[in-house]
Amino acid sequence: MEAIILQILNGLDKGSAYALIALGLTLIFGTLGVVNFAHGALFMIGAFVAVTLNRIFNLSFTVIDETRTDFLGNPMQVEVPYVEQWFGAETGAAIIDWSVPLAIIVAIPIMALIGIAMERGLIKYFYKRPHADQILVTFGLAIVLQEIVKAFYGANPIPTPAPDAFRGSFDVGQLIGFEPFAIVYPYWRLVYFAFAAIVIGAVFAFLQFTTFGMVVRAGMADRETVGILGIDIDKRFTTMFAIAAIVAGLAGVMYTPILSPNYHMGMDFLVLSFVVVVVGGMGSLGGAVAAGFLLGVLQSFASMSQVIDLIPGINQVIIYLVAIIVLLTRPRGLMGRKGVMEE
Amino acid sequence: MTDKNLSRRGLLKAGAATGVALATPTFFTGAARAFTNEPGSSSVTLGFNVPQTGPYADEGADELRAQQLAVEHLNGEGDGGMLNTFSSQVLDGTGILGRRVEYVTGDTQTSSDAARSSARSMIERDGAIMVTGGSSSGVAVAVQALCQEAGIIFMAGLTHSNDTTGKDRKANGFRHFFNSYMSGAALAPVLANAYGTDRNAYYLTADYNWGYTTEQAVREATEAVGWNTVNTVLTPVGAGDFSSYITPVLGSGADTLVLVHYGGDMVNSLTQAVQFGLREAQANGRDFEIIVPLFSRLMASGAGEAIQGIFGSTNWHWSLPDAGSQAFTRSFGEKYGFPPSQAAHTCYVQTLLYADAVTRAGSFNPCAVVEALEGFEFDGLGNGPTLYRAEDHQCFKDVLVVRGKANPDNQFDLLEIVEVTPVEQVTYAPDHPQFAGGNLGTCNPGA
């Protein structure tokens, strides 16, 4: 029982990341009709915004400490971060400690700008081109972004910890009447789940309750009619792209304490997120979110050793197996609308 | 079409012959030479084949730094590094046999195919007479086989799988680095001492060759001191999030987790195991423990605070007090500003050992080099007296058991040496079951 609850929690976490990326993919596909293979790169860039902010906060000047020696036996050079110099040791340390949550504030404008630049600078020229062209160009863009990040940050994962207050784990089991240590779950993963729920809620509320959102939904239902009604669809397309980029970026920022950022993390998540989108139904926002969580949980269960012992290798193929079954029985995905990708 | 001599059939014949000639690797066609890539009188070219991209790129970069340093020292530049402490004193800073040392580099991309093609290009196009480097056992085994076929010497870099000098051993290949068996043999007594002899271990193992041999070696060594193996689970390479593999561990009856992961995978799985509270947890009435069989400083810096107090094994560490290690650390540290990794050390030493063997043999002929290296005993290159065993071309030397340091003095001071396991304790018979099935064959000089 404990094992099952733990795997559900794991699945919800992984599912949160899948759902956030798939949500952005669906927003772009649903409104602009573009299959954006560079979306995983946006997730990765978000994570590296957190890394960069952490590095900026850690920028230091060197003080020679004669009482200690370094690895060559020379006097030790001690690094003192500028923020500790400016704000005092305690406040400075707290700023460094909270760099991941603080990165959210920085990431929103940065991701918006990157999204706008991507859409205006490249993707808009491919709206009328076939999906294959869009996939090629966005996939190429993803590789370019990935290589740029690697050139600057190296190939090794860069640990970017959560604030001290959220390190360690929480005995979820004891809260609901289990033995101590039966269900222990890291604080930050609970935070991530809550954060994902808030972002998903905010995106849905935005689409549901604002005029802009109404037009976007109308556009997703019938793009041409909305265009004929004289709405400046170009501007809205750009905005949608920026929003999708922000969602992916924030998902990446908050994921850094869970998975040390590395340059190929975007690609790792992208493939799975596409499966999520297809299973959920191309163009269905609710489907993307539901399928994200569903596949996250299924993948977690498939990684249990009892399950692997029963069906060896199931942990590596479960996602694709589900995708095949869903597409065979419901070609438009769980919550997909008729007509999308069927023309 | 006035040329009557050029018939259609003749043209086809000529074309086919040219095609065959072009398709034949040059190392099979140079019958005029005594051996493949025999160097001229002024210079000799070495091939440094390291991962410059991909998940082990940082290790590869460090290997390359060390190889460049070795070339400097061989050519009489810099402070000479370990040339001064090496027990064999035939290298005098005038290159190798009076020829200036030059080098070419290749990118293995941590992929066997890419590594083979970059090694092939270094041998065929650049005339490299020896290849060294690598940072994956899959790559090492593939390149070793290629070098055997091409008739040049392969001085393996970082490769820890038993198979490199076990079932896949080759006469032209030599390994200075330690292996899975040695890690297990060195770790087990230290672990029994620290954590008791009745532990229940749970293994998460990287799903490829190195993972299998390392899991087997550590399992057999710890079972021999009384430990019990609760479960072994294979995890995909590059899984990223290992949480769904880690969460079942606490309820499984295990009180010890062995993470047979390397590189980025180890960084992630260890960090996540700590996040999931395994370090604070209790099982079977005692503290839960985590073990990482193969440690490196580069990985340790990736995992941050998560490594504190965790046992593992390593081939070499810059804080070793012997003169050779200190000379290398000083030379490398002054040139690059940080201490060398174990990958850097092994590649530097392998380059020196090759140059030394050529000099002692008085010939670049691979068969002469093989003869000079087989059964060669040396000292002064770190890890104490070392033997290049003739039977399997594996080096036998002391193995370090290390632990993540609790209060590091500086950013490089991440591992503390807990024990220097004497070489006798990690020595095994060449036909030990974990190494069985291999055949060195005979040396191949190429042409």
Side-chain angles (χ1 to χ4, degrees):
Chain A
M1 187 60 204
E2 295 92 325
I4 292 173
I5 295 177
L6 267 169
Q7 293 299 10
I8 290 176
L9 286 171
N10 274 333
L12 291 180
D13 245 355
K14 223 176 267 178
S16 303
Y18 295 161
L20 284 175
I21 300 176
L23 185 65
L25 275 173
T26 306
L27 278 176
I28 293 178
F29 179 77
T31 48
L32 319 182
V34 171
V35 184
N36 182 22
F37 263 72
H39 206 69
L42 294 170
F43 173 73
M44 182 263 299
I45 289 173
F48 277 89
V49 167
V51 170
T52 311
L53 192 70
N54 186 285
R55 292 220 168 148
I56 290 172
F57 286 158
N58 272 305
L59 276 182
S60 308
F61 58 93
T62 316
V63 178
I64 305 272
D65 183 352
E66 297 284 350
T67 61
R68 290 155 72 196
T69 51
D70 71 358
F71 74 98
L72 287 174
N74 302 324
M76 178 90 148
Q77 303 191 333
V78 184
E79 304 280 313
V80 181
Y82 285 105
V83 285
E84 291 193 11
Q85 171 87 352
W86 296 335
F87 299 99
E90 214 161 289
T91 320
I95 292 176
I96 295 172
D97 188 35
W98 281 79
S99 54
V100 169
L102 287 174
I104 292 177
I105 305 166
V106 195
I108 292 173
I110 291 179
M111 294 313 299
L113 282 177
I114 291 175
I116 292 167
M118 241 167 102
E119 200 271 341
R120 287 288 92 186
L122 185 68
I123 309 234
K124 75 166 178 190
Y125 303 106
F126 287 83
Y127 285 140
K128 300 228 163 73
R129 306 275 285 268
H131 285 308
D133 288 8
Q134 297 171 351
I135 290 172
L136 274 178
V137 73
T138 52
F139 195 75
L141 180 64
I143 292 172
V144 169
L145 291 172
Q146 185 170 305
E147 290 303 312
I148 291 173
V149 166
K150 194 175 78 185
F152 279 98
Y153 295 89
N156 272 9
I158 302 162
T160 312
D164 260 333
F166 294 104
R167 262 177 246 180
S169 47
F170 172 63
D171 200 334
V172 183
Q174 239 176 339
L175 203 70
I176 47 176
F178 282 95
E179 294 281 301
F181 292 112
I183 305 173
V184 178
Y185 210 71
Y187 284 117
W188 189 261
R189 287 179 183 252
L190 297 170
V191 170
Y192 193 78
F193 178 61
F195 175 79
I198 292 169
V199 171
I200 291 168
V203 170
F204 274 82
F206 173 75
L207 292 175
Q208 201 65 40
F209 303 120
T210 62
T211 324
F212 186 93
M214 196 181 72
V215 175
V216 169
R217 278 186 294 129
M220 286 173 89
D222 191 339
R223 197 142 46 105
E224 277 165 21
T225 312
V226 173
I228 291 164
L229 288 173
I231 291 164
D232 181 359
I233 212 80
D234 276 2
K235 205 151 98 201
R236 282 167 206 269
F237 279 6
T238 313
T239 314
M240 281 322 296
F241 213 96
I243 292 172
I246 292 171
V247 171
L250 291 184
V253 167
M254 293 294 275
Y255 210 69
T256 53
I258 296 176
L259 187 71
S260 297
N262 59 62
Y263 72 100
H264 55 84
M265 64 191 289
M267 282 299 182
D268 298 347
F269 272 85
L270 179 77
V271 178
L272 291 172
S273 300
F274 261 104
V275 179
V276 167
V277 170
V278 170
V279 169
M282 291 294 278
S284 161
L285 293 170
V289 173
F293 285 113
L294 174 75
L295 289 176
V297 172
L298 281 177
Q299 200 184 23
S300 286
F301 276 113
S303 308
M304 291 172 77
S305 62
Q306 292 89 330
V307 180
I308 299 175
D309 287 346
L310 214 63
I311 318 168
I314 185 74
N315 52 334
Q316 313 216 23
V317 297
I318 178 79
I319 293 263
Y320 307 100
L321 217 58
V322 173
I324 291 168
I325 294 169
V326 167
L327 288 181
L328 282 177
T329 52
R330 262 188 82 84
R332 70 183 73 136
L334 292 175
M335 295 159 90
R337 284 170 297 111
K338 193 174 165 49
V340 180
M341 288 298 271
E342 284 176 14
E343 64 265 52
Chain B
M1 281 294 147
T2 50
D3 189 349
K4 285 171 193 153
N5 294 329
L6 189 65
S7 68
R8 184 178 149 273
R9 185 174 294 270
L11 186 68
L12 278 177
K13 270 187 187 163
T18 317
V20 168
L22 285 176
T24 310
T26 54
F27 51 74
F28 292 134
T29 56
R33 291 185 312 246
F35 52 87
T36 304
N37 292 340
E38 185 172 356
S41 57
S42 61
S43 70
V44 55
T45 304
L46 308 182
F48 298 149
N49 205 19
V50 303
Q52 297 180 34
T53 57
Y56 297 152
D58 280 7
E59 308 245 5
D62 221 37
E63 294 185 345
L64 206 50
R65 288 182 198 109
Q67 287 157 340
Q68 286 160 346
L69 191 66
V71 167
E72 274 183 25
H73 293 167
L74 288 172
N75 285 333
E77 295 152 13
D79 62 9
M82 284 203 217
L83 287 189
N84 306 312
T85 60
F86 189 13
S87 58
S88 168
Q89 284 289 323
V90 298
L91 294 170
D92 55 6
T94 56
I96 307 177
L97 287 183
R99 288 152 179 91
R100 188 177 167 78
V101 183
E102 288 171 358
Y103 64 89
V104 288
T105 67
D107 182 6
T108 68
Q109 302 171 26
T110 322
S111 133
S112 299
D113 287 341
R116 280 179 70 95
S117 73
S118 65
R120 188 176 275 276
S121 142
M122 289 192 289
I123 297 166
E124 293 184 1
R125 206 189 58 199
D126 305 317
I129 193 167
M130 176 274 265
V131 169
T132 180
S135 185
S136 152
S137 291
V139 166
V141 165
V143 176
Q144 180 165 267
L146 177 90
C147 290
Q148 175 75 37
E149 194 187 331
I152 70 159
I153 296 287
F154 176 60
M155 301 296 278
L158 195 148
T159 160
H160 184 251
S161 165
N162 287 340
D163 294 348
T164 311
T165 49
K167 76 172 176 53
D168 295 317
R169 65 181 77 140
K170 291 280 181 285
N172 284 29
F174 290 84
R175 170 160 68 175
H176 168 265
F177 207 70
F178 72 152
N179 57 42
S180 302
Y181 175 88
M182 295 170 167
S183 286
L187 273 171
V190 176
L191 294 175
N193 209 5
Y195 301 145
T197 53
D198 55 348
R199 283 273 169 177
N200 295 298
Y202 191 110
Y203 290 77
L204 292 182
T205 302
D207 194 358
Y208 76 107
N209 175 287
W210 169 76
Y212 312 148
T213 75
T214 303
E215 181 204 294
Q216 183 193 20
V218 176
R219 196 159 38 77
E220 288 180 9
T222 51
E223 281 171 0
V225 299
W227 286 25
N228 171 39
T229 302
V230 176
N231 202 352
T232 59
V233 177
L234 293 176
T235 60
V237 176
D241 189 354
F242 287 91
S243 57
S244 42
Y245 298 98
I246 292 167
T247 40
V249 175
L250 267 186
S252 67
D255 48 37
T256 309
L257 172 64
V258 184
L259 291 174
V260 189
H261 290 150
Y262 195 70
D265 281 352
M266 180 280 218
V267 170
N268 284 323
S269 68
L270 179 57
T271 315
Q272 287 157 13
V274 173
Q275 280 171 358
F276 273 85
L278 258 54
R279 298 299 297 282
E280 293 108 57
Q282 299 248 315
N284 305 332
R286 55 196 156 185
D287 289 342
F288 198 95
E289 302 294 350
I290 304 173
I291 295 154
V292 175
L294 180 58
F295 240 143
S296 85
R297 183 180 56 77
L298 295 174
M299 272 151 54
S301 79
E305 287 172 15
I307 60 144
Q308 292 180 1
I310 287 179
F311 281 110
S313 69
T314 190
N315 189 55
W316 179 83
H317 195 253
W318 61 268
S319 66
L320 276 172
D322 66 277
S325 299
Q326 287 304 298
F328 179 54
T329 302
R330 175 159 299 278
S331 193
F332 188 100
E334 275 169 3
K335 185 168 161 100
Y336 300 112
F338 43 85
S341 63
Q342 62 174 354
H345 170 255
T346 214
C347 285
Y348 176 88
V349 169
Q350 284 281 71
T351 309
L352 254 49
L353 283 171
Y354 171 79
D356 176 75
V358 170
T359 312
R360 282 186 295 110
S363 163
F364 285 98
N365 188 321
C367 289
V369 176
V370 168
E371 204 176 308
L373 279 170
E374 281 185 343
F376 179 50
E377 287 179 70
F378 59 93
D379 200 355
L381 300 182
N383 307 78
T386 304
L387 164 72
Y388 238 128
R389 185 159 72 179
E391 288 84 350
D392 53 4
H393 295 184
Q394 170 70 48
C395 265
F396 286 85
K397 55 193 181 329
D398 297 347
V399 169
L400 309 182
V401 176
V402 290
R403 184 168 48 194
K405 205 163 184 177
N407 295 304
D409 285 340
N410 57 59
Q411 69 199 97
F412 311 117
D413 183 31
L414 298 168
L415 300 174
E416 59 182 332
I417 299 168
V418 181
E419 186 165 292
V420 180
T421 308
V423 57
E424 304 80 53
Q425 204 179 307
V426 297
T427 304
Y428 52 86
D431 59 349
H432 185 282
Q434 290 183 23
F435 296 83
N439 180 11
L440 276 177
T442 50
C443 82
N444 175 19

